[in-house]
Amino acid sequence: MEIDIDHELDTVQRKVEQTEQRAQRIGPVTGLASSGDGAVTVEVRPGGLLSEVKLTPAALSSGSEALAAQIMALAERATKRAGAAMYQTLAPVLGPEGEKHLTSLGYEPDDEDEDEAFDSPLGHRRPPR
């Protein structure tokens, strides 16, 4: 079986162009998570790169350890959302094989139906067992 290099290069070029067009329409891919009271908001880029943290004066009243825990919990949730946004952006262009690669990189569709709120100054608490 012989590979038609020109055809393969054209296919790759079309996928690159489709991805660029999608990225321009969608804009920057980020994940955002906020505490239930809005005192802490965290924005993260895919891969977990923290791009913004917003704190209100109320956020500072819980103490440094509680605030740090809440920021960490929100950053984790925002990272999942950024990964899901990256998946939604690229999966339609890359197709089934590309979806597998995205998943292997940790970019997966967000399967959580409910939006988690972090009302506790200690962040999300796991339900008792």
Short mmCIF file of all heavy atoms in Angstrom, two decimals, residues 21-62:
data_model
loop_
_atom_site.label_atom_id
_atom_site.label_comp_id
_atom_site.label_asym_id
_atom_site.label_seq_id
_atom_site.Cartn_x
_atom_site.Cartn_y
_atom_site.Cartn_z
N GLN A 21 -9.45 28.22 12.87
CA GLN A 21 -10.74 28.90 12.77
C GLN A 21 -11.56 28.71 14.04
O GLN A 21 -12.16 29.65 14.55
CB GLN A 21 -11.52 28.38 11.57
CG GLN A 21 -10.93 28.80 10.24
CD GLN A 21 -11.56 28.07 9.06
OE1 GLN A 21 -12.43 27.22 9.22
NE2 GLN A 21 -11.09 28.38 7.86
N ARG A 22 -11.56 27.49 14.57
CA ARG A 22 -12.29 27.21 15.81
C ARG A 22 -11.72 28.01 16.97
O ARG A 22 -12.44 28.58 17.76
CB ARG A 22 -12.20 25.73 16.15
CG ARG A 22 -13.47 24.98 15.92
CD ARG A 22 -13.34 23.53 16.33
NE ARG A 22 -14.01 23.22 17.56
CZ ARG A 22 -15.30 23.26 17.74
NH1 ARG A 22 -16.09 23.64 16.77
NH2 ARG A 22 -15.84 22.92 18.89
N ALA A 23 -10.40 28.06 17.05
CA ALA A 23 -9.75 28.78 18.14
C ALA A 23 -10.06 30.28 18.07
O ALA A 23 -10.28 30.92 19.10
CB ALA A 23 -8.24 28.54 18.11
N GLN A 24 -10.12 30.82 16.87
CA GLN A 24 -10.45 32.24 16.71
C GLN A 24 -11.89 32.51 17.12
O GLN A 24 -12.18 33.53 17.74
CB GLN A 24 -10.21 32.69 15.28
CG GLN A 24 -8.74 32.81 14.93
CD GLN A 24 -8.53 33.13 13.46
OE1 GLN A 24 -9.46 33.19 12.67
NE2 GLN A 24 -7.27 33.35 13.10
N ARG A 25 -12.81 31.60 16.79
CA ARG A 25 -14.22 31.79 17.16
C ARG A 25 -14.41 31.68 18.67
O ARG A 25 -15.16 32.42 19.26
CB ARG A 25 -15.09 30.74 16.47
CG ARG A 25 -15.45 31.05 15.05
CD ARG A 25 -16.59 30.16 14.54
NE ARG A 25 -16.50 28.76 14.89
CZ ARG A 25 -15.95 27.82 14.13
NH1 ARG A 25 -15.40 28.14 12.98
NH2 ARG A 25 -15.92 26.58 14.51
N ILE A 26 -13.73 30.72 19.27
CA ILE A 26 -13.94 30.42 20.69
C ILE A 26 -13.16 31.37 21.58
O ILE A 26 -13.62 31.73 22.66
CB ILE A 26 -13.57 28.96 20.97
CG1 ILE A 26 -14.56 28.05 20.25
CG2 ILE A 26 -13.55 28.66 22.45
CD1 ILE A 26 -14.19 26.60 20.25
N GLY A 27 -11.98 31.77 21.17
CA GLY A 27 -11.15 32.63 22.01
C GLY A 27 -10.27 31.80 22.92
O GLY A 27 -10.15 30.59 22.76
N PRO A 28 -9.66 32.45 23.91
CA PRO A 28 -8.74 31.73 24.79
C PRO A 28 -9.46 30.61 25.55
O PRO A 28 -10.60 30.78 25.98
CB PRO A 28 -8.24 32.79 25.76
CG PRO A 28 -8.69 34.09 25.23
CD PRO A 28 -9.77 33.85 24.25
N VAL A 29 -8.78 29.50 25.70
CA VAL A 29 -9.33 28.37 26.44
C VAL A 29 -8.86 28.49 27.88
O VAL A 29 -7.66 28.47 28.16
CB VAL A 29 -8.88 27.03 25.82
CG1 VAL A 29 -9.36 25.86 26.65
CG2 VAL A 29 -9.37 26.92 24.39
N THR A 30 -9.83 28.65 28.78
CA THR A 30 -9.53 28.74 30.20
C THR A 30 -10.60 28.01 30.99
O THR A 30 -11.65 27.65 30.45
CB THR A 30 -9.48 30.21 30.69
OG1 THR A 30 -10.75 30.80 30.49
CG2 THR A 30 -8.41 31.01 29.98
N GLY A 31 -10.35 27.82 32.26
CA GLY A 31 -11.35 27.28 33.17
C GLY A 31 -11.52 28.26 34.31
O GLY A 31 -10.55 28.88 34.77
N LEU A 32 -12.74 28.43 34.76
CA LEU A 32 -13.05 29.38 35.82
C LEU A 32 -13.82 28.66 36.92
O LEU A 32 -14.69 27.85 36.64
CB LEU A 32 -13.90 30.51 35.23
CG LEU A 32 -14.11 31.76 36.05
CD1 LEU A 32 -12.79 32.51 36.22
CD2 LEU A 32 -15.12 32.66 35.37
N ALA A 33 -13.47 28.97 38.16
CA ALA A 33 -14.23 28.43 39.30
C ALA A 33 -14.28 29.50 40.37
O ALA A 33 -13.31 30.23 40.59
CB ALA A 33 -13.55 27.17 39.84
N SER A 34 -15.43 29.59 41.02
CA SER A 34 -15.63 30.58 42.07
C SER A 34 -16.22 29.93 43.30
O SER A 34 -16.95 28.94 43.21
CB SER A 34 -16.60 31.68 41.61
OG SER A 34 -16.06 32.41 40.54
N SER A 35 -15.93 30.54 44.44
CA SER A 35 -16.56 30.07 45.67
C SER A 35 -18.05 30.41 45.60
O SER A 35 -18.46 31.29 44.84
CB SER A 35 -15.91 30.74 46.89
OG SER A 35 -16.05 32.16 46.81
N GLY A 36 -18.84 29.71 46.36
CA GLY A 36 -20.28 29.91 46.34
C GLY A 36 -20.70 31.33 46.66
O GLY A 36 -21.67 31.84 46.13
N ASP A 37 -19.92 32.00 47.51
CA ASP A 37 -20.25 33.37 47.88
C ASP A 37 -19.56 34.40 46.99
O ASP A 37 -19.73 35.60 47.16
CB ASP A 37 -19.89 33.63 49.34
CG ASP A 37 -18.40 33.45 49.64
OD1 ASP A 37 -17.63 33.15 48.72
OD2 ASP A 37 -18.03 33.61 50.82
N GLY A 38 -18.77 33.93 46.02
CA GLY A 38 -18.09 34.83 45.09
C GLY A 38 -16.87 35.53 45.67
O GLY A 38 -16.28 36.39 45.03
N ALA A 39 -16.45 35.13 46.87
CA ALA A 39 -15.31 35.79 47.51
C ALA A 39 -13.98 35.41 46.85
O ALA A 39 -13.03 36.18 46.90
CB ALA A 39 -15.28 35.44 48.99
N VAL A 40 -13.92 34.24 46.23
CA VAL A 40 -12.68 33.77 45.59
C VAL A 40 -13.03 33.28 44.19
O VAL A 40 -13.95 32.49 44.02
CB VAL A 40 -12.03 32.62 46.39
CG1 VAL A 40 -10.74 32.16 45.72
CG2 VAL A 40 -11.79 32.99 47.84
N THR A 41 -12.28 33.77 43.21
CA THR A 41 -12.45 33.32 41.83
C THR A 41 -11.06 33.00 41.28
O THR A 41 -10.13 33.76 41.47
CB THR A 41 -13.11 34.41 40.96
OG1 THR A 41 -14.40 34.72 41.51
CG2 THR A 41 -13.29 33.94 39.53
N VAL A 42 -10.98 31.86 40.61
CA VAL A 42 -9.70 31.39 40.06
C VAL A 42 -9.90 31.09 38.58
O VAL A 42 -10.88 30.47 38.18
CB VAL A 42 -9.25 30.10 40.80
CG1 VAL A 42 -8.00 29.54 40.18
CG2 VAL A 42 -9.04 30.39 42.28
N GLU A 43 -8.95 31.56 37.76
CA GLU A 43 -8.94 31.24 36.34
C GLU A 43 -7.66 30.47 36.03
O GLU A 43 -6.58 30.84 36.50
CB GLU A 43 -8.99 32.51 35.50
CG GLU A 43 -9.07 32.23 34.00
CD GLU A 43 -9.12 33.50 33.17
OE1 GLU A 43 -8.22 34.34 33.33
OE2 GLU A 43 -10.06 33.63 32.38
N VAL A 44 -7.81 29.41 35.24
CA VAL A 44 -6.70 28.52 34.93
C VAL A 44 -6.68 28.24 33.44
O VAL A 44 -7.73 28.11 32.81
CB VAL A 44 -6.86 27.20 35.73
CG1 VAL A 44 -5.80 26.19 35.34
CG2 VAL A 44 -6.81 27.46 37.22
N ARG A 45 -5.51 28.12 32.88
CA ARG A 45 -5.35 27.71 31.48
C ARG A 45 -5.21 26.18 31.44
O ARG A 45 -4.91 25.57 32.46
CB ARG A 45 -4.13 28.37 30.88
CG ARG A 45 -4.24 29.89 30.88
CD ARG A 45 -3.25 30.52 29.94
NE ARG A 45 -3.24 31.96 30.07
CZ ARG A 45 -4.17 32.77 29.58
NH1 ARG A 45 -5.20 32.27 28.94
NH2 ARG A 45 -4.09 34.08 29.73
N PRO A 46 -5.41 25.56 30.28
CA PRO A 46 -5.25 24.10 30.21
C PRO A 46 -3.89 23.67 30.74
O PRO A 46 -2.89 24.34 30.53
CB PRO A 46 -5.37 23.81 28.71
CG PRO A 46 -6.23 24.92 28.19
CD PRO A 46 -5.81 26.14 28.99
N GLY A 47 -3.90 22.58 31.46
CA GLY A 47 -2.66 22.09 32.06
C GLY A 47 -2.47 22.60 33.47
O GLY A 47 -1.55 22.19 34.16
N GLY A 48 -3.33 23.51 33.93
CA GLY A 48 -3.28 23.97 35.31
C GLY A 48 -2.53 25.26 35.55
O GLY A 48 -2.32 25.63 36.70
N LEU A 49 -2.10 25.95 34.50
CA LEU A 49 -1.39 27.21 34.68
C LEU A 49 -2.35 28.27 35.21
O LEU A 49 -3.31 28.65 34.55
CB LEU A 49 -0.77 27.67 33.36
CG LEU A 49 -0.02 29.00 33.40
CD1 LEU A 49 1.19 28.90 34.33
CD2 LEU A 49 0.41 29.40 32.01
N LEU A 50 -2.11 28.71 36.42
CA LEU A 50 -2.95 29.71 37.06
C LEU A 50 -2.78 31.04 36.34
O LEU A 50 -1.65 31.53 36.18
CB LEU A 50 -2.52 29.83 38.52
CG LEU A 50 -3.45 30.50 39.49
CD1 LEU A 50 -4.77 29.75 39.59
CD2 LEU A 50 -2.80 30.57 40.86
N SER A 51 -3.87 31.63 35.86
CA SER A 51 -3.76 32.89 35.13
C SER A 51 -4.35 34.07 35.90
O SER A 51 -4.01 35.21 35.62
CB SER A 51 -4.41 32.77 33.75
OG SER A 51 -5.75 32.40 33.85
N GLU A 52 -5.24 33.78 36.87
CA GLU A 52 -5.81 34.89 37.64
C GLU A 52 -6.45 34.36 38.92
O GLU A 52 -7.07 33.31 38.93
CB GLU A 52 -6.87 35.62 36.81
CG GLU A 52 -7.41 36.85 37.47
CD GLU A 52 -8.32 37.67 36.55
OE1 GLU A 52 -8.92 37.09 35.62
OE2 GLU A 52 -8.43 38.87 36.79
N VAL A 53 -6.27 35.13 39.99
CA VAL A 53 -6.95 34.87 41.26
C VAL A 53 -7.54 36.19 41.72
O VAL A 53 -6.83 37.19 41.80
CB VAL A 53 -5.98 34.33 42.34
CG1 VAL A 53 -6.70 34.16 43.67
CG2 VAL A 53 -5.36 33.02 41.91
N LYS A 54 -8.85 36.18 41.99
CA LYS A 54 -9.51 37.38 42.49
C LYS A 54 -10.03 37.09 43.90
O LYS A 54 -10.67 36.06 44.13
CB LYS A 54 -10.69 37.76 41.59
CG LYS A 54 -10.29 38.26 40.24
CD LYS A 54 -11.51 38.66 39.44
CE LYS A 54 -11.15 39.08 38.04
NZ LYS A 54 -12.34 39.41 37.24
N LEU A 55 -9.76 38.01 44.81
CA LEU A 55 -10.20 37.87 46.19
C LEU A 55 -10.96 39.13 46.60
O LEU A 55 -10.53 40.24 46.27
CB LEU A 55 -9.00 37.70 47.13
CG LEU A 55 -8.01 36.59 46.81
CD1 LEU A 55 -6.81 36.69 47.74
CD2 LEU A 55 -8.68 35.24 46.95
N THR A 56 -12.04 38.94 47.30
CA THR A 56 -12.74 40.08 47.89
C THR A 56 -12.26 40.20 49.34
O THR A 56 -11.65 39.26 49.88
CB THR A 56 -14.27 39.87 47.87
OG1 THR A 56 -14.61 38.80 48.76
CG2 THR A 56 -14.78 39.57 46.46
N PRO A 57 -12.54 41.31 49.99
CA PRO A 57 -12.18 41.43 51.41
C PRO A 57 -12.75 40.29 52.26
O PRO A 57 -12.11 39.84 53.22
CB PRO A 57 -12.74 42.78 51.82
CG PRO A 57 -12.73 43.58 50.54
CD PRO A 57 -13.07 42.57 49.46
N ALA A 58 -13.93 39.79 51.92
CA ALA A 58 -14.54 38.69 52.68
C ALA A 58 -13.69 37.43 52.62
O ALA A 58 -13.66 36.65 53.59
CB ALA A 58 -15.94 38.41 52.16
N ALA A 59 -12.99 37.22 51.53
CA ALA A 59 -12.16 36.01 51.39
C ALA A 59 -11.03 36.01 52.41
O ALA A 59 -10.59 34.95 52.86
CB ALA A 59 -11.58 35.94 49.98
N LEU A 60 -10.56 37.18 52.77
CA LEU A 60 -9.42 37.29 53.68
C LEU A 60 -9.81 37.03 55.14
O LEU A 60 -8.94 36.80 55.97
CB LEU A 60 -8.78 38.67 53.54
CG LEU A 60 -8.33 39.02 52.13
CD1 LEU A 60 -7.83 40.45 52.08
CD2 LEU A 60 -7.28 38.06 51.63
N SER A 61 -11.09 37.03 55.44
CA SER A 61 -11.53 36.87 56.83
C SER A 61 -11.46 35.44 57.33
O SER A 61 -11.54 35.19 58.53
CB SER A 61 -12.97 37.39 56.98
OG SER A 61 -13.86 36.56 56.25
N SER A 62 -11.27 34.48 56.43
CA SER A 62 -11.29 33.08 56.84
C SER A 62 -9.93 32.57 57.33
O SER A 62 -9.84 31.44 57.79
CB SER A 62 -11.78 32.20 55.69
OG SER A 62 -10.90 32.31 54.60
#
